[in-house]
């Protein structure tokens, strides 16, 4: 993998890269899920890099560890890839000035395979015999490690530990003539979940996996096509939403217009239902549905399924807020902000002392005593993973004077690990996979505990329930019904370690 002009990537990665990885492991995110990645691409716009930076800023919630942009201009590729938030690098005029050209791809990263080191920061770039090629990937390949071993056996020299790099090598090794045919041949070899944005010296290419597990939308600004993980990235730049890229679709933009390829046999789509539960921003439209409205519907369904007599409904902010609104509206129980979130805790607070770290969740969430003292409350969060943060928040509510605390989750129990680019722990780290409902209630310390049912989740999405013979969504962390081969899990001698996808508050 070659470094394009202007790239600030040192090779090998410096010690400070690893230090940051270590620090991030200790951050105070609690046991919330971590999103995968966000991708963005634009073709034919004179301010391609600046627009891409804004798009990535809107996708920041999908990955906060690193960000990168690659542009092409006048015979050269230009790249800036840095650890840190999008704004840390791309709010600076001198950085944007180093990214000339009217076509760009960008990526904001949270690593699920490969560590947090600069050489893994995307978009990855390689100089192929067919010309330069940059790629940004949201998702995870379920045969990435198997392909990597094969490629290395045949002489490939890998520059990163990212599963995305195998795509570059597969394109490079293809014997096909046209670039797009090489690209499609590479896609046919990979399995798993992917939304890809790619750049050559002439083309912007978007691709979505055959089941559409990860999202990708098409937009338009000043007549220029845009690809983005979510519609919120279009809204921030005033771009028009055109449509979702279809599962299995490959779309190519160049000076002659657009070209669409459908290289896979059609199959029923299985978009990830967790985009609605947690990953996507509530103002995004995913698969034609408002994420905000779906989350409210999850809350209303929860009220239908497991209501108890209480005084107030309190969300765990921010991700529990829409479901709590839906719960409150359906049940008629007043909604109160009983927990105030401090939005300024995170990367800026990178090395707290041990004693400060032990305060843990209080740094991020504070009780609003005025709203909860003496009250019986329903506490609503989007999902339960390890339960550590939930336990602390329940205790915090009681300390602040809540008389009863009933905990409700606006998604079903998470019972199975993810292999598609989401930061979920192995089964042993999932509270619901290893405990009964009553044991969980006891651990969390709530007066009662209930989850949204799987059928209820589908009903809130406007479906009659889950059809086991043809589920409309990828829902395997709840059901175990994995929709693709898990080649690496079955064929590789040592299955790839699922990184500790959740940072626990201590
Ligand atoms: S395991 Fe869960 S989060 Fe991962 S792709 Fe499947 S439904 Fe989405």
């Amino acid at each position: 993998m070659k470094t394009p002009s202007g790239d600030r990537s040192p090779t090998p990665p410096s010690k400070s890269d690893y230090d940051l990885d270590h620090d991030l492991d200790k951050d105070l995110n609690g046991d919330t899920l971590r999103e995968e990645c966000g991708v963005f691409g634009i073709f034919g716009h004179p301010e391609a890099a600046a627009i891409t930076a804004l798009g990535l800023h809107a996708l920041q919630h999908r990955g906060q560890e690193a960000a990168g942009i690659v542009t092409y201009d006048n015979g050269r590729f230009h790249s800036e890839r840095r650890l840190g938030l999008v704004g840390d690098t791309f709010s600076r005029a001198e950085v944007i000035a180093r990214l000339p050209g009217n076509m760009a791809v960008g990526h904001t990263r949270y690593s699920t395979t490969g560590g947090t080191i600069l050489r893994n920061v995307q978009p990855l770039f390689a100089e192929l015999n067919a010309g330069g090629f940059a790629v940004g990937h949201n998702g995870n390949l379920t045969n990435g490690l198997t392909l990597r071993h094969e490629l290395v056996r045949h002489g490939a020299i890998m520059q990163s530990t990212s599963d995305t790099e195998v795509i570059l090598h597969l394109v490079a090794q293809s014997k096909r003539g046209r670039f797009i045919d090489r690209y499609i041949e590479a896609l046919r070899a990979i399995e798993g979940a992917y939304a890809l944005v790619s750049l050559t010296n002439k083309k912007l290419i978007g691709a979505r996996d055959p089941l559409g597990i990860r999202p990708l939308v098409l937009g338009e600004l000043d007549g220029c096509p845009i690809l983005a993980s979510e519609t919120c990235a279009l809204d921030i730049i005033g771009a028009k939403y055109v449509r979702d890229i279809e599962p299995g679709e490959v779309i190519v933009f160049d000076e002659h217009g657009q070209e669409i390829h459908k290289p896979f046999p059609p199959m029923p789509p299985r978009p990830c239902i967790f985009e609605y539960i947690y990953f996507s921003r509530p103002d995004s439209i995913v698969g034609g549905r408002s994420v905000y409205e779906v989350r409210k519907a999850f809350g209303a369904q929860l009220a239908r399924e497991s209501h108890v007599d209480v005084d107030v409904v309190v969300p765990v902010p921010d991700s529990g807020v829409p479901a709590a609104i839906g719960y409150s509206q359906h049940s008629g129980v007043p909604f109160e902000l009983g927990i105030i979130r401090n939005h300024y805790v995170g990367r800026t607070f990178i090395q707290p002392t041990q004693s400060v770290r032990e305060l843990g969740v209080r740094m991020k969430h504070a009780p609003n005593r005025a709203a909860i003292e003496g009250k019986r409350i329903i506490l609503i969060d989007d999902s339960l993973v390890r339960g550590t943060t939930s336990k602390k928040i329940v205790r915090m509510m009681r300390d602040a004077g809540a008389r009863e605390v009933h905990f409700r989750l606006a998604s079903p129990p998470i019972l199975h690990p993810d292999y598609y680019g989401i930061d979920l722990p192995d089964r042993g780290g999932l509270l619901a996979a290893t405990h009964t409902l009553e044991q969980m209630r006891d651990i969390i310390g709530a007066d009662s505990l209930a989850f949204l049912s799987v059928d209820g989740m589908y009903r809130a999405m406007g479906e009659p329930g889950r059809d086991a013979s043809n589920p409309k969504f990828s829902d395997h962390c709840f059901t175990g019904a994995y929709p693709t081969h898990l080649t690496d899990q079955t064929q590789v001698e040592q299955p790839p370690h699922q990184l500790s996808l959740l940072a626990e508050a201590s």
Side-chain angles (χ1 to χ4, degrees):
M1 198 170 57
K2 193 173 167 181
T3 298
S5 155
D7 201 344
R8 268 55 185 173
S9 320
T11 303
S14 68
K15 180 178 179 298
S16 61
D17 298 339
Y18 294 106
D19 287 347
L20 180 56
D21 194 12
H22 181 61
D23 292 334
L24 284 167
D25 281 343
K26 294 188 296 187
D27 79 9
L28 298 171
N29 277 342
D31 62 341
T32 52
L33 288 160
R34 286 197 175 160
E35 299 84 344
E36 335 85 286
C37 295
V39 294
F40 189 92
I42 184 165
F43 184 86
H45 199 287
E47 294 187 274
I51 288 168
T52 301
L54 282 172
L56 293 182
H57 181 69
L59 297 172
Q60 185 76 84
H61 59 288
R62 298 185 75 88
Q64 294 97 48
E65 290 187 359
I69 296 177
V70 173
T71 63
Y72 176 78
D73 180 57
N74 203 17
R76 292 172 71 188
F77 285 87
H78 305 269
S79 171
E80 293 284 338
R81 299 181 302 153
R82 299 282 183 87
L83 298 172
L85 299 175
V86 176
D88 294 347
T89 300
F90 296 104
S91 58
R92 291 170 20 219
E94 71 271 20
V95 175
I96 299 298
R98 290 199 294 264
L99 293 166
N102 68 359
M103 50 209 264
V105 287
H107 188 269
T108 180
R109 171 182 171 81
Y110 174 68
S111 64
T112 50
T113 64
T116 306
I117 52 175
L118 194 45
R119 61 187 172 158
N120 284 343
V121 177
Q122 299 190 24
L124 298 183
F125 177 84
E127 197 71 65
L128 314 182
N129 62 356
F133 175 48
V135 61
H137 174 202
N138 168 209
N140 191 51
L141 304 184
T142 50
N143 66 342
L145 203 58
T146 306
L147 289 171
R148 185 184 186 91
H149 287 179
E150 265 171 47
L151 286 161
V152 169
R153 219 173 10 249
H154 290 97
I157 298 169
M158 296 284 177
Q159 299 283 308
S160 77
T161 57
S162 160
D163 62 334
T164 309
E165 194 182 350
V166 302
I167 299 170
L168 293 175
H169 285 272
L170 290 168
V171 173
Q173 292 190 1
S174 172
K175 301 286 185 288
R176 302 278 183 149
R178 293 194 314 155
F179 185 87
I180 190 61
D181 295 327
R182 292 169 166 231
Y183 185 85
I184 285 172
E185 189 169 79
L187 296 188
R188 287 201 170 111
I190 62 178
E191 297 168 354
Y194 53 87
L196 300 172
V197 292
S198 305
L199 195 68
T200 72
N201 59 3
K202 293 196 177 75
K203 299 176 195 299
L204 169 70
I205 307 172
R208 200 169 167 205
D209 65 74
L211 294 164
I213 296 174
R214 301 266 73 91
L216 189 64
V217 298
L218 173 63
E220 187 189 300
L221 178 69
D222 304 334
C224 304
I226 292 172
L227 297 165
S229 293
E230 288 181 44
T231 59
C232 64
L234 304 178
D235 295 337
I236 192 174
I237 52 171
K240 186 177 88 183
Y241 165 76
V242 177
R243 65 179 176 86
D244 283 25
I245 300 299
E246 289 178 21
E249 178 178 352
V250 179
I251 189 162
V252 184
F253 301 98
D254 62 18
E255 60 182 4
H256 305 297
Q258 78 175 44
E259 203 178 279
I260 290 171
H261 300 261
K262 302 230 170 134
F264 304 103
M267 55 185 89
R270 298 279 300 276
C272 168
I273 206 161
F274 235 112
E275 292 288 343
Y276 298 97
I277 295 166
Y278 177 75
F279 300 136
S280 291
R281 236 171 64 167
D283 54 331
S284 283
I285 308 292
V286 175
R289 292 169 158 101
S290 153
V291 172
Y292 178 71
E293 292 299 331
V294 170
R295 286 184 190 162
K296 279 191 356 186
F298 288 155
Q301 180 66 25
L302 200 50
R304 264 178 223 113
E305 293 183 358
S306 59
H307 185 53
V308 288
D309 193 21
V310 289
D311 303 311
V312 290
V313 174
V314 171
V316 177
D318 291 326
S319 53
V321 171
I325 291 172
Y327 193 108
S328 167
Q329 288 176 350
H330 184 82
S331 63
V333 177
F335 171 98
E336 293 285 2
L337 288 176
I339 302 171
I340 305 301
R341 180 174 165 188
N342 184 338
H343 289 262
Y344 304 99
V345 174
R347 293 285 320 285
T348 52
F349 209 99
I350 207 150
Q351 281 189 324
T353 62
Q354 182 63 31
S355 58
V356 170
R357 200 178 306 135
E358 278 168 5
L359 296 174
V361 75
R362 278 172 192 265
M363 296 188 59
K364 193 172 175 185
H365 296 117
N368 179 13
R369 189 176 278 272
I372 54 181
E373 192 163 22
K375 307 261 175 63
R376 299 167 300 161
I377 67 172
I378 290 246
L379 199 55
I380 298 194
D381 205 351
D382 62 279
S383 56
L384 184 82
V385 184
R386 295 181 193 265
T388 319
T389 306
S390 308
K391 179 178 174 179
K392 289 181 176 173
I393 286 178
V394 169
R395 196 189 314 140
M396 182 194 295
M397 295 293 92
R398 291 199 194 281
D399 291 348
R403 243 183 334 125
E404 292 175 20
V405 183
H406 301 272
F407 206 70
R408 297 289 178 272
L409 283 309
S411 63
I414 299 174
L415 303 172
H416 305 274
D418 168 280
Y419 300 107
Y420 301 98
I422 306 303
D423 197 2
L424 273 177
D426 293 335
R427 204 165 176 278
L430 296 167
L431 192 70
T434 47
H435 296 81
T436 65
L437 187 69
E438 176 54 22
Q439 286 170 334
M440 285 190 277
R441 186 206 59 73
D442 192 45
I443 288 168
I444 289 167
D447 291 287
S448 74
L449 173 68
F451 292 81
L452 183 63
S453 69
V454 172
D455 274 333
M457 175 174 69
Y458 272 80
R459 283 195 203 107
M461 303 282 294
E463 304 292 331
R466 183 178 191 270
D467 176 355
S469 64
N470 181 25
K472 292 269 169 52
F473 295 94
S474 279
D475 56 16
H476 25 290
C477 43
F478 309 120
T479 63
Y482 294 99
T484 71
H485 298 299
L486 298 178
T487 306
D488 286 345
Q489 300 300 311
T490 52
Q491 292 192 7
V492 175
E493 273 174 27
Q494 286 197 317
H497 174 58
Q498 286 282 296
L499 296 175
S500 172
L501 299 176
L502 298 167
E504 282 282 331
S506 55

